[in-house]
Amino acid sequence: MELSGSVTSPKRLHPIVFIFLALVLGILLLPHRPAKAAESVTSTTPEVGLPLQRIECGGGRHLNVLTLDASWLTDHDRVLVVDPAGDMDNAADPRSAADFVNDTWIFDAKADGRAELIITFATEGDHSVAYLYDDRDGDGAVSYTIRDCQVRISEWPFWHARVEAIGPWLLPSGEMNMNLTMQIDGNFRGGELGSVWPEVVASRLRNDGKPDTEWVIRDVDYDGIPEFAYGRLITDISLGFGIGRLAVMANEGRHRPRIPAGYVFWPLLGGAYPPGNIIFDSPPYFAVNWDTGRLVEFLPHGYPFEHGYGVNSLLPARLGEVNEANFENPMAYYDLANDKDGRPELHIRLAHFEAYDPFKHRGRLRDPISDVRFSWNQRNSPSPEWDYKIGLVGLAGLPDVARLGDLSFRTVAYERLPQWVVSTPWSWATFVAAESTPYVGSEGIYDLPGEYPGAELYLAGQNEDGPERHYTMSAQTPISTDVGERRYIMSPGLRGEWGRLNGPPRLYLSGVDRKLHLFGAKAGMWTISENQYVKYEDLNGDGYIDLWSYWALVRAEEQVNDGPSMLIALGDRIVHSGNNRVTWKNFPTPLALFEMPPPIDTASWHELGRRLEEHAGTFQPDDLGSALARFPGPQTTIRGASIRDVRADAGGFRFVLTLLEGFQVAADGGEDAWLAGLGTGSYIVRHEPGSGFHVDRLTPADVLPSVPAAFSEGGAIQVLEPVQMGITLRNSGTEDVAAVKVSLMVAPPEGTWRVVESQTVELRGASSTSLTFTWIPSEGGVWRIQAQAGERVSAEEMVVVLAGPSVLPVAVLLATTHAVLPVIILLLLVALLPPIILAQSRSLRDTSARSRGGE
Amino acid sequence: MILSRQDPRHVEEALPEATAPPTGRPRVSAPSSRFPLEILVFPAGLAAYFATRYNGIVGQNDVIYLVEAARAAILSGRVVPDDAQFIYSSGYGFTALLAFINTVSGLAPADITALLQPFLVVIIAVVAFALYREFSADAWSARLGVVLLLLQPEFLFAVLRGTHEIYTRTLLMLAFLLLARSVRLSEYPRLLALQVALFYTAVYSLISINVFFASSYIAALFLAVTGGWLWARFRRTTVRTAASVLERLALASASCFVLVYLFMEHIYPPAGQHWRIITQTATQISQVVFSVEETTNPYSIVQTLWINQWIYLTLTTANWLVLLASSGLWLRRTWRWMRYGEGPATAGRWLLWLFWAAFAAQGALAILVDSSSDLLGKNAQHRLFPSFATVAVGQIVVEAGGWLRAAHVRSLSVRAATACILMFLTVAALAKATNEPTVGNRWVFCRPEELVALRWTDSHLVTTSLWTDYDERLKTCGELYLGQPTHNNVWDTYAVEPETRDVLITEVTRLRSKRLALPLPDPVVGLRVYDNGTAELYHQRSLTPFQR
């Protein structure tokens, strides 16, 4: 049999193959870009130098082109006004007939023959409309031709911006008509919308004939003062992008914008306005980069409000329905002084996320979360400064609906927002006072925010990470909290505190330091400088600060003196310790000179100012002892003594008193009988109101852990199943232990000791506490367990861990199926397989025989 | 070259276009007897075992998305619903098929995939038989090929598990068969036109079901063209129609490529993202080839999925047999062609030889991609192996089918040994394809009581993260048979998330805990709030004022 063929290797592939492949490549390389209108070679170009030209279009039609020389960018700029309607024919001065009704304005900065911007004006119904075209292809100019009595813009098929006024552009008074709707088809900055859009989002906002954003400004009563403005992102962008989709500005103070100035012919084009103090200072206008021929932004200048509010929401908003608005809803400002000086005295930022908001933990929080920053300027200082701030966090919903024209959204009504804040129960709060350095800013005091990262999960019950860990305060570390990548530390000059509230916020003026405090604050810090601060605490949990300590550091970690200077106001005594001297006096209760909610209106703002002035007093943080001078009555002083480990105790307080060699007592009419007979050394001193001081000898702390005991169901401990182990700690000394590390230790049957888990706890003198640990034995057998606390270890205990039944195949089989059917099928399958394959043997033999026979 | 009639190779190489120019009415099928209906018993038995092994409740991760897409399509009446969370971006064909079967039968999509679809493996057997008979021209060899193919655990798992692969594998073989027939019948215009029309119909069906698989097939076509051109450029080929074969392949690959492009860009836009995958894969491959950066070994997971790696090797014996045997035979055939100046005897054999090389090259590249990135989910090699196995079995059938048949005829002991080997491979392949839990650690079944517990928790809990198992076993079962969790609940898997305060402990979880030597989740010491005798729900005690 000849198998070699007559044709050898292929000479070449058929040409059609190459054509086909080229076609494929061509398809792949097709650009995705809108078709650009072809330039017309028969177009008419107006001649430069003629102020008014009449261009015949045939058929008896014509249009007028007026050339206006101007100077908005250079000394020699030019505008061509194309009048297709013949308005200029009969005008005595054609310039007076150039209007914003039906003309097309071609702006040529530098008069170089290139149009940087073209605006086509039209009248649609009783609305005035302008279509703006700018450079789209990057050559710095807008391509156009004049043909058939029309200006044909070939730069791009679609306009970039469209503005519509309800009525004429100007009011009869000559002021700008503020009833405007501006649409942007594409991406450029429009007020708060689009200022920080990421590139991936900006790339989706294409100039494709469909508007992407819309701004609405309304002056409902046509008095030249806009009542509100809002901007919406119309294009549907995935909620995976945390971008602004709704921005609202409400001019509650009815601030009148400036008269348009510095604009280029049309009042909405360009403008020269000084930096605005507040929103609505300037009228809205388009900013243009005349060098690149690009519209840059559309916005009114100024920030913040003096009296009004804004909303910045990440959620999309639709007209004609009630929308949810999250994030900053609202950012409200109030002119508490009612002086209309352009500066607000109260700012409330409500950061709100409704239940199941997609931007909070992937929409899995079942409660609304609100975070309030309530800052006010108590001194009405001339610059935008803030004196106090309260940060509030809680599960509060939005009770009202705001309606601005066709836009409605859920919020807290501007008028009642301050009252709502001070009457709503909040979970916890922070309080900040600018003590020595003015805090300048447009959005209140940022330091020590109420919400920390992950707070929403804690509020939703999804973790146990409460605020205590985030507002830590140690002797060497100023009160601080981590926010995102930045670490907020109380800036020098600020005093901050925090506490769980579980109620509305209240303030009080302390009779000890004459400072305003948050009622319920647990602890706080006044950062005097980078190495000087006062730490203060509420020891007995009654809501009032009762311990102050002054710390001066050489470096960040090192303290200068032996211990801090301390001031304690507990029970009916006020005690000072510092410079090896301890002094005490009777103390008139209560601690607070007055209490009131934060100011919410002009009256309460004045009232708070009056009371602060009435009770003004000095407090020298580096001389805490001077505060005792405010209180009348005899005092007792021990020279050569110091106190430490102060804490509340049974309605009074206790501390460790150390009497140094050669100490002296100066009673000065005060109580000193309890000191009789005491020698050099350390003592536990307790004070209870009404019964005076009691003293005991200090015995060192001695913490002994118990043998761990298992809390296992049925008493059996199983391999790989968690078991709770209890350890009891007992401090047999009278001295407190601030922190002791307790560990559960186990040793497997053939292994060495290892730590299962460690916990650090505080243990007071002569007390005990119980701790629970989780242990998951990894193997069966007899284990040894013991506990360790500091250097002390408990006795060993033997524990039997049951290995449990092994995972036999039969157990797995029983777990997977109840039926015997698959087993039968498998057996049948295996049994039938040989016949299926081998049954052909006979026919194969026959075939083979036929093959041989056929040779 | 004259072959001896005694040489058993004559049977395999005596193909029509190689023996004599066609005259008169062409023979459109290979010389054979009737279709052996008894061969269908084997795939039917395999399917029956798979469908009944776990009472029809099997949770396979890749099936969920397909089933969800079908549910959305059934509810909306549209293949791409406007607001559906699940749109199968790789193609609409499978979604449409599930919706159609649901409409005419009333079967739920999950039941279709678990109970009905496995039996379609019978169709695969029919197509595979036709394909191997086309290449070998021998019914016995084709029959052996069918059995060998179905004993490939990776292939069996792919076609039984309920995804689109039962269709895509069938269509892939059908396209292969029609291509081979069109090459053989290239001188009969009417028959050629029929084959070509059927070929593009099959390819478009493949594209519409899964454009990624189709791309892989088209890439193999392209590689085959390239390989064939190189071979023909440097070596003499004895195939008379080598040029037309290459032209046919080139046109087919280009046309299929255009079909893929049109499908992704215009017919089914959700598939557009595959452009990115395809281009990134190319970049990835080039980076891997030209870099020496060490990456994690994607195949190390084998050690955790089976109770030991020897079990894995034993269960995959058929894979290794086919891989090694086909490689050896392909190399032997290549050596003979090069050493003795022989060329391919027939266009079909050359085609098979080229496709073996193309899919082997794809497999090698897949290993490179798997080792360098997770672009293709670190399992590209597993995805490609069934395609390779199809041509590898073909290679064995063509190269050694005659020899095996002769040995089979001559010796009873050979027949007995063959039967024993096949029986062992059947058990091994089924154990591997079903992730048999007595030997595997990746369990795919779940108990009805577990589903009852899942349903109860989902209807009684709100915004709750519920831990279900050490992997997605129970979660996938729940999503398949109950649907996605409602009431803003989440089914937590693997390590317990910090926000998870509810855990479901079942008999199966306890077994897995011991098998995997992993402790049960800590919250198991919480409050037991539900117990149906097999599954228990534990809720962690409140530790803060905000926990309920």
Side-chain angles (χ1 to χ4, degrees):
Chain A
M1 182 170 62
E2 179 64 49
L3 288 180
S4 56
S6 57
V7 177
T8 58
S9 58
K11 300 182 185 72
R12 59 180 179 176
L13 297 182
H14 195 281
I16 196 169
V17 176
F18 291 107
I19 294 169
F20 205 88
L21 290 173
L23 187 65
V24 171
L25 280 174
I27 290 172
L28 292 177
L29 295 175
L30 273 179
H32 292 270
R33 188 170 179 276
K36 187 171 176 175
E39 297 273 355
S40 169
V41 294
T42 59
S43 61
T44 306
T45 303
E47 293 181 40
V48 174
L50 296 174
L52 179 64
Q53 300 171 65
R54 179 186 172 98
I55 299 176
E56 298 297 336
C57 312
R61 294 178 302 137
H62 73 280
L63 56 75
N64 299 313
V65 178
L66 177 68
T67 302
L68 300 174
D69 290 323
S71 58
W72 67 84
L73 180 68
T74 68
D75 290 340
H76 191 199
D77 305 317
R78 181 182 297 132
V79 177
L80 300 179
V81 182
V82 180
D83 168 33
D87 296 346
M88 296 175 185
D89 289 342
N90 301 318
D93 180 1
R95 291 168 182 269
S96 65
D99 55 35
F100 308 125
V101 176
N102 51 17
D103 293 349
T104 295
W105 292 60
I106 301 167
F107 295 87
D108 177 7
K110 303 176 192 171
D112 55 3
R114 290 155 55 87
E116 280 78 23
L117 180 72
I118 297 177
I119 306 178
T120 300
F121 292 97
T123 302
E124 298 177 3
D126 57 351
H127 292 195
S128 303
V129 182
Y131 298 93
L132 286 80
Y133 300 84
D134 62 353
D135 173 46
R136 302 279 79 207
D137 56 10
D139 64 356
V142 185
S143 304
Y144 72 99
T145 56
I146 297 177
R147 193 175 58 163
D148 297 335
C149 275
Q150 285 185 330
V151 177
R152 295 176 184 270
I153 298 166
S154 53
E155 176 72 18
W156 200 257
F158 315 108
W159 47 261
H160 197 185
R162 176 185 184 275
V163 188
E164 179 178 326
I166 302 175
W169 296 109
L170 298 177
L171 297 175
S173 62
E175 292 176 292
M176 186 189 291
N177 181 354
M178 292 287 186
N179 288 288
L180 300 170
T181 300
M182 195 276 296
Q183 292 176 321
I184 297 170
D185 179 8
N187 172 41
F188 72 84
R189 177 175 168 160
E192 286 299 306
L193 283 181
S195 55
V196 287
W197 278 336
E199 181 58 33
V200 64
V201 172
S203 66
R204 296 183 187 194
L205 305 179
R206 300 188 192 96
N207 196 179
D208 56 1
K210 295 178 223 166
D212 298 295
T213 52
E214 178 182 82
W215 271 95
V216 172
I217 303 174
R218 288 291 178 267
D219 170 15
V220 177
D221 51 10
Y222 287 86
D223 62 355
I225 304 173
E227 281 83 27
F228 62 83
Y230 60 81
R232 296 185 304 127
L233 180 64
I234 300 172
T235 298
D236 187 18
I237 300 287
S238 163
L239 292 180
F241 296 104
I243 56 172
R245 291 176 173 80
L246 172 68
V248 175
M249 299 184 294
N251 187 11
E252 298 292 322
R254 298 294 182 268
H255 183 73
R256 181 180 291 277
R258 296 171 193 274
I259 301 294
Y263 54 87
V264 184
F265 294 102
W266 185 43
L268 281 164
L269 182 61
Y273 304 103
N277 283 328
I278 57 176
I279 281 181
F280 293 110
D281 256 356
S282 76
Y285 67 96
F286 284 98
V288 182
N289 184 333
W290 294 104
D291 292 325
T292 60
R294 292 277 175 103
L295 293 169
V296 177
E297 58 185 358
F298 171 83
L299 75 172
H301 263 309
Y303 192 73
F305 302 83
E306 182 181 21
H307 200 73
Y309 70 93
V311 171
N312 297 305
S313 172
L314 308 176
L315 293 171
R318 294 183 179 83
L319 302 182
E321 61 185 69
V322 177
N323 297 280
E324 297 292 344
N326 64 7
F327 191 42
E328 293 174 333
N329 176 20
M331 291 277 280
Y333 295 84
Y334 298 85
D335 181 16
L336 291 187
N338 202 18
D339 54 7
K340 298 194 185 304
D341 62 352
R343 286 177 299 279
E345 282 75 44
L346 172 62
H347 164 54
I348 303 174
R349 174 186 184 268
L350 172 57
H352 179 83
F353 291 86
E354 199 50 48
Y356 307 116
D357 187 290
F359 291 97
K360 275 291 182 187
H361 201 56
R362 307 187 302 276
R364 301 206 57 251
L365 301 185
R366 56 184 161 196
D367 297 304
I369 306 285
S370 289
D371 168 30
V372 174
R373 189 166 67 221
F374 186 104
S375 310
W376 72 97
N377 179 348
Q378 189 61 50
R379 294 170 296 144
N380 197 14
S381 43
S383 57
E385 294 176 10
W386 306 99
D387 297 322
Y388 300 103
K389 184 276 289 280
I390 294 183
L392 299 155
V393 178
L395 305 173
L398 302 178
D400 303 315
V401 173
R403 299 182 195 283
L404 302 176
D406 294 331
L407 177 71
S408 301
F409 57 93
R410 217 172 290 285
T411 185
V412 184
Y414 173 77
E415 302 78 21
R416 71 174 181 134
L417 177 64
Q419 177 62 41
W420 179 83
V421 170
V422 301
S423 59
T424 296
W426 300 95
S427 297
W428 67 82
T430 60
F431 173 74
V432 177
E435 288 292 343
S436 54
T437 308
Y439 194 102
V440 180
S442 57
E443 295 186 352
I445 297 177
Y446 284 101
D447 290 59
L448 206 63
E451 187 175 18
Y452 57 86
E456 70 272 17
L457 293 177
Y458 175 71
L459 285 167
Q462 294 186 357
N463 68 25
E464 292 87 47
D465 188 18
E468 282 79 3
R469 192 176 72 82
H470 294 271
Y471 300 116
T472 55
M473 186 170 56
S474 65
Q476 283 80 32
T477 308
I479 187 168
S480 63
T481 179
D482 294 329
V483 176
E485 293 299 314
R486 293 181 295 176
R487 183 175 172 80
Y488 280 101
I489 296 177
M490 292 286 294
S491 308
L494 294 183
R495 178 170 61 83
E497 56 203 50
W498 86 276
R500 287 181 180 269
L501 284 192
N502 300 316
R506 285 163 57 204
L507 303 172
Y508 71 92
L509 188 75
S510 168
V512 177
D513 63 5
R514 303 294 174 118
K515 301 288 184 191
L516 210 51
H517 290 278
L518 173 73
F519 177 77
K522 183 180 177 185
M525 179 81 74
W526 174 6
T527 308
I528 301 161
S529 66
E530 287 185 354
N531 56 4
Q532 277 185 297
Y533 54 91
V534 173
K535 187 174 83 168
Y536 50 90
E537 294 175 60
D538 172 14
L539 291 179
N540 61 0
D542 64 353
Y544 301 100
I545 298 298
D546 44 32
L547 169 69
W548 290 256
S549 54
Y550 169 76
W551 300 77
L553 309 178
V554 173
R555 294 190 299 272
E557 306 84 11
E558 191 179 6
Q559 190 181 339
V560 172
N561 48 19
D562 295 333
S565 173
M566 238 184 296
L567 189 64
I568 308 150
L570 273 168
D572 54 4
R573 294 289 188 279
I574 181 164
V575 182
H576 173 255
S577 169
N579 295 325
N580 289 335
R581 179 184 297 188
V582 177
T583 305
W584 65 91
K585 270 184 159 183
N586 283 336
F587 178 69
T589 54
L591 270 168
L593 296 174
F594 70 83
E595 292 187 29
M596 65 180 292
I600 59 171
D601 52 24
T602 303
S604 58
W605 180 72
H606 281 303
E607 175 63 12
L608 177 59
R610 186 191 66 75
R611 289 193 179 191
L612 287 174
E613 195 173 337
E614 178 187 347
H615 296 287
T618 57
F619 179 72
Q620 297 180 9
D622 55 352
D623 183 12
L624 294 178
S626 63
L628 268 66
R630 286 205 192 98
F631 306 103
Q635 70 177 29
T636 305
T637 301
I638 309 174
R639 292 188 177 84
S642 64
I643 63 176
R644 60 182 168 88
D645 295 347
V646 183
R647 64 172 164 88
D649 185 58
F653 59 100
R654 63 162 259 174
F655 55 84
V656 174
L657 172 68
T658 301
L659 298 175
L660 304 175
E661 189 67 36
F663 73 92
Q664 295 177 337
V665 179
D668 191 21
E671 54 189 337
D672 61 351
W674 60 278
L675 290 165
L678 298 184
T680 303
S682 294
Y683 301 88
I684 296 291
V685 178
R686 292 187 180 82
H687 179 269
E688 293 176 17
S691 63
F693 289 95
H694 305 276
V695 63
D696 292 307
R697 173 67 71 173
L698 175 76
T699 56
D702 182 17
V703 180
L704 184 64
S706 69
V707 175
F711 308 132
S712 55
E713 196 174 317
I717 300 177
Q718 299 272 354
V719 168
L720 297 175
E721 296 210 7
V723 59
Q724 302 288 296
M725 306 292 293
I727 297 174
T728 302
L729 290 183
R730 174 154 193 80
N731 183 359
S732 56
T734 55
E735 186 176 21
D736 294 347
V737 180
V740 59
K741 183 178 176 184
V742 187
S743 303
L744 171 67
M745 302 176 70
V746 298
E750 302 295 331
T752 55
W753 289 101
R754 63 180 179 84
V755 174
V756 173
E757 184 187 352
S758 294
Q759 299 177 25
T760 300
V761 294
E762 175 191 358
L763 189 60
R764 294 181 171 181
S767 69
S768 61
T769 188
S770 294
L771 303 173
T772 303
F773 295 78
T774 301
W775 174 43
I776 304 172
S778 57
E779 60 181 284
V782 179
W783 289 64
R784 292 171 294 154
I785 57 172
Q786 67 178 22
Q788 180 172 4
E791 300 300 319
R792 303 287 300 271
V793 292
S794 69
E796 287 182 23
E797 177 81 6
M798 299 295 189
V799 171
V800 176
V801 175
L802 301 179
S806 59
V807 191
L808 296 172
V810 66
V812 180
L813 282 172
L814 287 175
T816 55
T817 178
H818 298 297
V820 293
L821 184 59
V823 180
I824 296 171
I825 291 170
L826 183 61
L827 291 174
L828 282 174
L829 190 60
V830 169
L832 287 173
L833 188 59
I836 291 171
I837 298 299
L838 306 178
Q840 292 291 299
S841 299
R842 192 161 56 89
S843 61
L844 285 172
R845 280 194 293 273
D846 295 345
T847 305
S848 187
R850 278 199 302 273
S851 291
R852 282 193 295 274
E855 283 179 29
Chain B
M1 170 185 168
I2 304 297
L3 285 177
S4 160
R5 289 290 180 184
Q6 281 69 39
D7 188 339
R9 284 178 303 159
H10 85 275
V11 177
E12 48 169 316
E13 294 188 347
L15 292 180
E17 76 270 36
T19 52
T23 55
R25 182 178 174 79
R27 185 183 55 76
V28 295
S29 60
S32 173
S33 57
R34 64 172 177 82
F35 179 81
L37 288 174
E38 64 271 18
I39 193 76
L40 301 184
V41 175
F42 185 59
L46 294 173
Y49 178 83
F50 188 87
T52 57
R53 173 67 182 89
Y54 304 118
N55 293 330
I57 308 176
V58 181
Q60 218 286 321
N61 208 20
D62 291 346
V63 181
I64 294 168
Y65 216 87
L66 296 160
V67 167
E68 289 290 356
R71 283 175 181 152
I74 291 165
L75 283 175
S76 67
R78 294 165 57 96
V79 173
V80 185
D82 291 334
D83 54 352
Q85 184 186 354
F86 298 95
I87 295 172
Y88 189 60
S89 62
S90 297
Y92 61 78
F94 187 71
T95 307
L97 267 172
L98 280 183
F100 172 75
I101 297 171
N102 166 268
T103 305
V104 298
S105 70
L107 280 171
D111 292 332
I112 294 171
T113 59
L115 295 173
L116 182 66
Q117 239 175 231
F119 288 94
L120 297 182
V121 74
V122 171
I123 298 174
I124 280 196
V126 174
V127 177
F129 181 83
L131 176 67
Y132 295 142
R133 195 178 59 176
E134 173 68 26
F135 286 125
S136 67
D138 175 38
W140 188 88
S141 298
R143 177 189 301 229
L144 180 67
V146 171
V147 174
L148 267 182
L149 182 66
L150 294 178
L151 289 182
Q152 299 298 300
E154 305 298 344
F155 186 89
L156 197 59
F157 174 70
V159 297
L160 290 180
R161 62 178 180 154
T163 66
H164 56 79
E165 287 195 62
I166 189 80
Y167 304 108
T168 43
R169 297 291 164 203
T170 308
L171 288 167
L172 203 139
M173 283 193 281
L174 195 58
F176 202 9
L177 169 68
L178 291 165
L179 184 68
R181 287 171 68 89
S182 70
V183 167
R184 179 159 60 83
L185 301 171
S186 58
E187 295 180 28
Y188 304 95
R190 288 180 60 190
L191 288 170
L192 174 65
L194 180 65
Q195 305 302 318
V196 169
L198 289 173
F199 170 79
Y200 286 114
T201 306
V203 169
Y204 182 77
S205 302
L206 180 63
I207 292 170
S208 73
I209 289 176
N210 190 295
V211 73
F212 185 81
F213 274 75
S215 305
S216 161
Y217 174 69
I218 293 160
L221 274 175
F222 179 75
L223 285 172
V225 173
T226 309
W229 182 80
L230 287 172
W231 177 270
R233 178 84 176 79
F234 297 108
R235 306 293 304 181
R236 280 171 56 87
T237 173
T238 54
V239 179
R240 273 200 322 275
T241 53
S244 64
V245 168
L246 282 181
E247 281 181 6
R248 173 87 189 91
L249 281 179
L251 276 173
S253 59
S255 307
C256 293
F257 190 78
V258 170
L259 275 179
V260 166
Y261 176 82
L262 292 174
F263 183 80
M264 289 196 282
E265 283 297 304
H266 300 289
I267 298 172
Y268 192 63
Q273 59 167 304
H274 290 275
W275 271 127
R276 182 185 61 82
I277 294 177
I278 290 168
T279 52
Q280 286 186 7
T281 303
T283 309
Q284 201 72 50
I285 290 168
S286 64
Q287 284 174 354
V288 171
V289 170
F290 297 111
S291 74
V292 291
E293 187 180 350
E294 284 192 20
T295 56
T296 56
N297 176 9
Y299 307 115
S300 59
I301 196 171
V302 165
Q303 293 173 1
T304 60
L305 293 186
W306 303 93
I307 56 175
N308 66 55
Q309 62 186 33
W310 291 110
I311 287 286
Y312 171 77
L313 290 172
T314 305
L315 297 183
T316 53
T317 303
N319 287 350
W320 300 111
L321 274 177
V322 165
L323 177 67
L324 295 174
S326 70
S327 302
L329 291 168
W330 186 87
L331 288 171
R332 174 178 167 272
R333 172 58 56 194
T334 309
W335 169 253
R336 289 180 68 102
W337 284 350
M338 295 180 73
R339 175 69 179 80
Y340 301 112
E342 298 174 10
T346 68
R349 174 160 298 184
W350 195 38
L351 211 55
L352 185 62
W353 182 84
L354 289 172
F355 269 93
W356 187 97
F359 279 113
Q362 279 194 15
L365 290 175
I367 292 171
L368 284 175
V369 172
D370 282 347
S371 305
S372 63
S373 80
D374 56 359
L375 190 66
L376 300 177
K378 292 274 186 196
N379 64 355
Q381 186 238 338
H382 287 288
R383 289 199 229 181
L384 284 169
F385 186 82
S387 302
F388 172 77
T390 306
V391 291
V393 168
Q395 191 71 23
I396 293 170
V397 164
V398 168
E399 295 290 340
W403 178 85
L404 284 170
R405 190 180 65 173
H408 208 263
V409 169
R410 281 196 297 266
S411 167
L412 178 64
S413 57
V414 169
R415 291 199 292 278
T418 304
C420 290
I421 291 170
L422 291 179
M423 285 192 287
F424 162 74
L425 292 180
T426 303
V427 175
L430 276 174
K432 170 75 169 56
T434 55
N435 291 303
E436 175 53 61
T438 53
V439 290
N441 291 330
R442 191 176 189 84
W443 300 358
V444 295
F445 69 97
C446 64
R447 298 275 295 269
E449 299 90 338
E450 294 181 303
L451 289 179
V452 170
L454 271 186
R455 182 183 285 120
W456 187 92
T457 57
D458 197 44
S459 58
H460 287 78
L461 301 178
V462 175
T463 316
T464 297
S465 178
L466 173 74
W467 185 85
T468 53
D469 203 347
Y470 297 99
D471 59 17
E472 66 274 10
R473 179 188 69 91
L474 204 46
K475 177 173 181 280
T476 50
C477 276
E479 288 174 347
L480 268 177
Y481 298 101
L482 306 176
Q484 295 292 317
T486 58
H487 303 105
N488 223 18
N489 294 319
V490 167
W491 289 331
D492 186 12
T493 54
Y494 294 95
V496 182
E497 291 290 329
E499 70 180 71
T500 298
R501 298 179 55 232
D502 295 83
V503 299
L504 195 64
I505 303 294
T506 72
E507 279 182 12
V508 179
T509 339
R510 290 184 193 279
L511 278 172
R512 295 201 84 188
S513 165
K514 290 184 169 53
R515 165 68 71 78
L516 301 172
L518 290 173
L520 289 169
D522 197 20
V524 75
V525 298
L527 306 167
R528 185 162 56 191
V529 294
Y530 171 87
D531 189 342
N532 67 12
T534 298
E536 303 151 11
L537 173 66
Y538 291 86
H539 178 70
Q540 188 193 56
R541 283 184 284 264
S542 300
L543 300 175
T544 76
F546 300 100
Q547 291 183 333
R548 295 166 221 176

